[in-house]
Amino acid sequence: MNIDTMQSSVALVVDDHDAVRHALCDRIKASFGQLQLREAGSVNEALKIVDAEKVDIVLMDIHMPGMDGIDGTRRVLEHSPHTSVIVVSIFDDVSHRAAASKAGASAYVCKRSIHRELIPTFESLMNCGHLNGQRGQGQLENLSV
């Protein structure tokens, strides 16, 4: 991944808890300082951002008031098919992973293992060509059920 690609790439973190959202942004920024980060506290806010600019990767919490992250993933991909979505959840079971996969998510990261899986998942998406509108083929292994 070259620095020019990273500087022009945008990631969006969607979580209704401000502290969690800020912590996720800090973690991503520490590893990918050149990546442009956006934040949204709801799916509706996220859709406004996705409609306003090209977003390469969305980190989407699964459990939010109003529209949840599964429906949010579907909606983001309807608005922006080139975007890759990483679903984040406290749930680590087959049914949630299957729902995320069916919605079109590129990856699924359980919050219990986020410290060890988030950055490698971002790196995998970037290395598979998920930045700058070149959504890679298929999904990452961590989404498989």
Side-chain angles (χ1 to χ4, degrees):
M1 175 65 44
N2 70 43
I3 196 87
D4 292 331
T5 300
M6 188 82 73
Q7 287 176 331
S8 64
S9 299
V10 176
L12 170 61
V13 178
V14 186
D15 195 300
D16 59 314
H17 295 102
D18 292 342
V20 173
R21 191 172 63 248
H22 297 314
L24 291 170
C25 285
D26 289 346
R27 186 158 181 82
I28 294 165
K29 195 69 164 171
S31 295
F32 308 105
Q34 300 301 315
L35 188 67
Q36 301 297 311
L37 282 174
R38 306 292 183 265
E39 298 181 37
S42 69
V43 173
N44 287 331
E45 282 181 45
L47 292 173
K48 289 177 185 174
I49 293 169
V50 168
D51 285 343
E53 64 182 299
K54 187 177 127 334
V55 175
D56 298 290
I57 298 176
V58 172
L59 186 64
M60 177 81 70
D61 185 28
I62 201 169
H63 186 66
M64 291 184 286
M67 190 182 313
D68 69 21
I70 299 298
D71 288 333
T73 296
R74 265 190 221 95
R75 294 286 305 278
V76 163
L77 294 173
E78 287 170 4
H79 287 243
S80 181
H82 73 274
T83 299
S84 297
V85 179
I86 302 169
V87 171
V88 178
S89 177
I90 61 168
F91 306 107
D92 191 15
D93 58 77
V94 171
S95 64
H96 285 92
R97 287 179 185 271
S101 178
K102 186 175 179 182
S106 297
Y108 187 100
V109 175
C110 182
K111 285 187 177 178
R112 282 187 297 255
S113 57
I114 204 161
H115 295 297
R116 119 182 134 254
E117 292 182 10
L118 179 62
I119 300 309
T121 300
F122 257 84
E123 287 173 342
S124 293
L125 287 173
M126 288 188 265
N127 292 334
C128 291
H130 286 251
L131 295 182
N132 292 320
Q134 300 175 348
R135 190 167 185 211
Q137 297 297 314
Q139 299 163 326
L140 299 179
E141 287 181 22
N142 68 354
L143 190 59
S144 300
V145 291

